[in-house]
Amino acid sequence: MATTPRDERISGYRKSSARCRALPSVIVRISLRIPVSSYALPDRAVLILTAAGTRSNADHGSGRPSQSRLKCRCYRSIGPARCTAPNFTEFDQLWRKYETRFLRCSLWAAVMPERTFTDWHTHVYLPEHLGPVWTDRGTELVGRPGFGSADLDEHTRVMKASGVERFLVLGLQVARIGMKVPNDFVGEYLDAHRDRAIGVGSVDPTQPGAAAELRRAVTEYGLHGVKLSPPYQGFHPYCEEAYEVYRAAADLGIFLMFHQASVFSPDGCNEYAYPTLLDKVAREFRDINILVAHFGKPWMNETVELMMKNRNVFADVSTLPVKTWQLYNGLRLAIEGHVTDRLVFGSDFPSFDPREAADQFLAISDLEMPLPIPREVVEDILYHRPLDLILR
């Protein structure tokens, strides 16, 4: 069966006319023959572009070619300013990619109202808080000094524009690279958003008075957790200075958040980054919940084993939506280890836009693999993780 020429299939819908139609609250397929401007779209929506069909494979000695199904989806958020005239150039890109590989092909779009979600990993800081290493590495890796603007106004604007209903806001202090986001800065922002946020301060255990500063910040601002990073801050998780901070957290009834993952700082200590190093901490502080940032990448297997053994260990998937292979493997390990109920979504704002990160996270369920990631698993992680899950 010959495929319809791309120009007719793709461009035809732009030239068609139709009556204005209301969009129900469920996914609605948009005909390629009807212009998107003919639909009354909600204020916020997600556009799903899909290509699907069959292709011919080698006969492998069977005497006749076999066929396999192909499917590709991409997700795009449509903000209020663009909801009646979104850019459909992705159609053309999908068609060029797949038309020569398909025996039969269909191509369509769907629009669904955008659901709000919780973002478990967002930063706030000013440029003067970062130090030269963080500032320069942001420029090198993502083209933005310090990975982007994360002042309080920008954080508020992006959370609202991205459909983030509730969020975890955090600071970070790393003396060895000159980074210090004051706990007062995080605490004052938390005070303004306490109805929809939890706040995580930071201390550097290698610096004098770290435990005392944690007690002060939590007492004064009601922070819910403390962020530590053995590989960035340069300490072993078992050292006495770290244990002073753990004991302070236990006394205060707050949770521990660890960047227990690889680091980009040239002076970082990846020998302290292995998630397994947190097993002793999780055992000895059973009454403290522990949140492992970035799923412990690239050691997701270790993180899952840690979570299977210790019910007080959780992990966020921040940064992984742009690392498809790591995310896929991590989720498969979590599914097989029965720990997805303690995985939470995070964007790592400002490094990544929360809405784009959420769309990329959802798209992992469309990856064509022998062992797929069920859609209901990623939706459960994204949409059903209230912040009080981590609170005692």
Side-chain angles (χ1 to χ4, degrees), residues 161-340:
S162 300
V164 175
E165 183 176 30
R166 301 191 71 193
F167 54 84
L168 183 154
V169 59
L170 60 92
L172 183 60
Q173 299 186 12
V174 185
R176 57 194 289 125
I177 64 173
M179 183 179 193
K180 186 174 184 178
V181 181
N183 290 314
D184 302 69
F185 187 74
V186 176
E188 289 169 4
Y189 188 61
L190 175 64
D191 280 344
H193 299 276
R194 198 169 290 276
D195 61 330
R196 57 192 295 249
I198 60 175
V200 176
S202 182
V203 294
D204 189 333
T206 68
Q207 301 302 296
E213 165 58 15
L214 178 60
R215 294 179 187 276
R216 181 202 70 82
V218 173
T219 301
E220 187 168 343
Y221 291 105
L223 297 175
H224 303 85
V226 59
K227 173 75 177 287
L228 305 172
S229 178
Y232 272 127
Q233 295 168 328
F235 70 89
H236 194 290
Y238 304 164
C239 73
E240 178 56 30
E241 293 81 4
Y243 263 68
E244 288 183 15
V245 175
Y246 306 157
R247 287 191 285 267
D251 292 342
L252 294 164
I254 64 174
F255 67 89
L256 297 170
M257 183 177 185
F258 284 89
H259 179 116
Q260 201 69 14
S262 60
V263 296
F264 58 73
S265 171
D267 292 329
C269 306
N270 276 342
E271 65 268 29
Y272 298 151
Y274 299 113
T276 297
L277 293 175
L278 296 183
D279 181 60
K280 180 181 178 182
V281 182
R283 292 198 317 268
E284 297 185 7
F285 293 89
R286 287 293 185 200
D287 292 334
I288 296 181
N289 281 332
I290 295 173
L291 178 59
V292 179
H294 314 304
F295 210 163
K297 68 170 183 69
W299 304 289
M300 293 82 65
N301 191 33
E302 285 192 21
T303 304
V304 168
E305 294 295 325
L306 181 70
M307 296 171 70
M308 290 172 62
K309 183 176 180 293
N310 302 285
R311 292 289 301 174
N312 58 329
V313 177
F314 301 71
D316 76 44
V317 298
S318 57
T319 74
L320 288 184
V322 299
K323 298 175 180 289
T324 305
W325 188 237
Q326 285 189 359
L327 178 60
Y328 169 78
N329 281 277
L331 289 176
R332 280 305 319 171
L333 290 165
I335 290 168
E336 293 159 13
H338 304 286
V339 297
T340 58

Side-chain angles (χ1 to χ4, degrees), residues 11-284:
S11 300
Y13 80 94
R14 295 194 181 109
K15 300 174 183 178
S16 302
S17 62
R19 296 179 180 178
C20 183
R21 305 184 180 190
L23 183 71
S25 59
V26 297
I27 295 177
V28 172
R29 185 172 296 183
I30 296 178
S31 169
L32 295 179
R33 302 294 181 179
I34 300 173
V36 172
S37 58
S38 298
Y39 288 84
L41 301 180
D43 287 341
R44 297 198 57 81
V46 177
L47 171 68
I48 306 174
L49 306 177
T50 305
T54 59
R55 70 175 175 184
S56 177
N57 298 325
D59 62 20
H60 303 293
S62 64
R64 63 179 184 275
S66 61
Q67 294 183 3
S68 62
R69 295 187 60 81
L70 293 176
K71 181 172 68 174
C72 175
R73 286 184 182 173
C74 57
Y75 296 78
R76 297 290 184 273
S77 291
I78 309 171
R82 296 180 293 151
C83 65
T84 58
N87 182 356
F88 273 71
T89 57
E90 290 92 347
F91 269 138
D92 300 272
Q93 295 170 1
L94 277 176
W95 192 260
R96 290 191 189 100
K97 181 176 181 180
Y98 287 101
E99 66 174 332
T100 59
R101 299 166 63 187
F102 284 146
L103 295 174
R104 292 180 295 277
C105 180
S106 60
L107 190 63
W108 65 86
V111 173
M112 63 181 178
E114 188 174 85
R115 297 170 63 180
T116 58
F117 59 96
T118 298
D119 192 334
W120 283 74
H121 196 124
T122 73
H123 291 264
V124 288
Y125 47 66
L126 298 176
E128 55 264 34
H129 297 156
L130 301 181
V133 174
W134 201 275
T135 300
D136 293 345
R137 290 296 278 166
T139 303
E140 294 171 13
L141 296 175
V142 301
R144 301 187 304 273
F147 295 90
S149 176
D151 60 66
L152 305 187
D153 289 341
E154 180 67 3
H155 187 280
T156 301
R157 183 193 70 79
V158 172
M159 295 301 112
K160 181 178 179 180
S162 300
V164 175
E165 183 176 30
R166 301 191 71 193
F167 54 84
L168 183 154
V169 59
L170 60 92
L172 183 60
Q173 299 186 12
V174 185
R176 57 194 289 125
I177 64 173
M179 183 179 193
K180 186 174 184 178
V181 181
N183 290 314
D184 302 69
F185 187 74
V186 176
E188 289 169 4
Y189 188 61
L190 175 64
D191 280 344
H193 299 276
R194 198 169 290 276
D195 61 330
R196 57 192 295 249
I198 60 175
V200 176
S202 182
V203 294
D204 189 333
T206 68
Q207 301 302 296
E213 165 58 15
L214 178 60
R215 294 179 187 276
R216 181 202 70 82
V218 173
T219 301
E220 187 168 343
Y221 291 105
L223 297 175
H224 303 85
V226 59
K227 173 75 177 287
L228 305 172
S229 178
Y232 272 127
Q233 295 168 328
F235 70 89
H236 194 290
Y238 304 164
C239 73
E240 178 56 30
E241 293 81 4
Y243 263 68
E244 288 183 15
V245 175
Y246 306 157
R247 287 191 285 267
D251 292 342
L252 294 164
I254 64 174
F255 67 89
L256 297 170
M257 183 177 185
F258 284 89
H259 179 116
Q260 201 69 14
S262 60
V263 296
F264 58 73
S265 171
D267 292 329
C269 306
N270 276 342
E271 65 268 29
Y272 298 151
Y274 299 113
T276 297
L277 293 175
L278 296 183
D279 181 60
K280 180 181 178 182
V281 182
R283 292 198 317 268
E284 297 185 7

Side-chain angles (χ1 to χ4, degrees), residues 4 100 145 235 344 347 372:
T4 304
T100 59
F235 70 89
V344 299
S347 68

